[in-house]
Each structure stands twice: as structure tokens, then as C-alpha cells.
Amino acid sequence: MNSSTSEFTFKPYEEKEGEEYMNEAQLQHFTNILNNWKAELMEEVDRTVHHMQDDAANFPDPNDRATQESEFSLELRTRDRERKLIKKIEEALKNIENGDYGYCETCGVEIGIRRLEARPTATLCIDCKTLDEIREKQMG
């Protein structure tokens, strides 16, 4: 599992023959994945805040000041992407609660265990996602 700056691992879910899709065990598996991912991202946000507070200095040299501002700007953009990802994780957790998790929001088919393990915040099946990307390319 990759986020923009970190990586964590989990044991892939082992499906049993004839098992119902998005049963209690699968939902618990994805709840754990999403909560662990969210916690890791929140730690990154906290680290950034402390890093920026600790490293904030008023350098007399304009080049040093510009370098620091550039580094802070990059970190803030990264944290903004992570903040948006945390929001998607929270939406996925809500979908688990209301029984919508694991199903395509466009066509209603099963997204699939492996796709969800690769992208736990996925809301589209692979076919609808592909069509969505084709439309995006055509629109510009």
C-alpha cells in the first residue's frame, strides 16, 4: 500500500470458497486497513507541523530563505494531498458502516477484494474507472 510519502503492509485477505462478498470478516479487514492508513497519514501531518515549527528560521541569506520556503511549500502541497486522502478514507469507512463499501457507485457491481486491497478508497469498478479515464482524456 503506497501513499504519497509512506508505505505500510497488511496480510492479504484469504477468500474462502463460497464466501459471501463483503461479509463481516472482509469488512473488518478493510476497516483495519483504512484505519491504519488514516493513522499513519495523521502521524505524517503531525510530523510536518512539528518539523515546520522547529525548522522555521529567519535566514538572513535570501537564498537560504528561498530554499526553506520552497521546501515548506512542497511539504504543504504533500500534506494537502494527504488531507484529501484522509477525507477519502473517512468516506470509505462511512460506506462500510452503511453497507455500500465494495460496490461500484456507478453500476453497482462488486469492485473486488484485490482491487480494494490495491486501492482501499476505490469507489468504481475497473470498467467504470477505465471509462471515466477515457472521458477525462477526451475532455482535455
Side-chain angles (χ1 to χ4, degrees):
M1 168 78 45
N2 287 324
S3 75
S4 55
T5 61
S6 58
E7 185 176 312
F8 70 91
T9 58
F10 58 88
K11 187 175 180 231
Y13 185 82
E14 292 181 27
E15 293 178 73
K16 294 156 193 70
E17 194 169 326
E19 180 177 30
E20 183 184 344
Y21 182 69
M22 284 301 131
N23 62 38
E24 200 61 41
Q26 291 173 7
L27 291 173
Q28 188 59 54
H29 175 71
F30 287 107
T31 299
N32 292 340
I33 289 172
L34 290 161
N35 280 324
N36 289 338
W37 196 12
K38 180 181 172 185
E40 188 177 279
L41 290 169
M42 296 295 279
E43 285 177 22
E44 280 296 315
V45 169
D46 288 345
R47 266 196 293 273
T48 297
V49 169
H50 294 304
H51 168 73
M52 290 179 79
Q53 287 172 341
D54 294 345
D55 288 0
N58 190 5
F59 291 109
D61 179 29
N63 290 326
D64 290 340
R65 211 168 33 247
T67 299
Q68 182 184 49
E69 287 174 16
S70 178
E71 288 172 1
F72 281 1
S73 177
L74 179 62
E75 275 193 57
L76 289 172
R77 281 196 307 271
T78 301
R79 294 300 89 79
D80 187 53
R81 280 193 302 274
E82 289 174 344
R83 183 184 53 76
K84 290 174 183 170
L85 182 53
I86 289 169
K87 190 173 187 305
K88 284 184 173 186
I89 291 169
E90 289 170 348
E91 288 169 6
L93 289 166
K94 278 185 198 152
N95 284 340
I96 287 175
E97 284 179 30
N98 64 27
D100 292 334
Y101 186 78
Y103 297 92
C104 179
E105 67 182 21
T106 300
C107 71
V109 304
E110 297 175 359
I111 293 173
I113 301 292
R114 296 301 162 239
R115 173 158 165 67
L116 288 168
E117 284 182 333
R119 184 171 293 277
T121 57
T123 57
L124 299 175
C125 68
I126 198 69
D127 292 337
C128 289
K129 182 63 178 168
T130 302
L131 288 172
D132 199 40
E133 289 173 357
I134 290 169
R135 275 189 223 108
E136 276 182 31
K137 283 182 186 174
Q138 290 174 343
M139 299 297 252

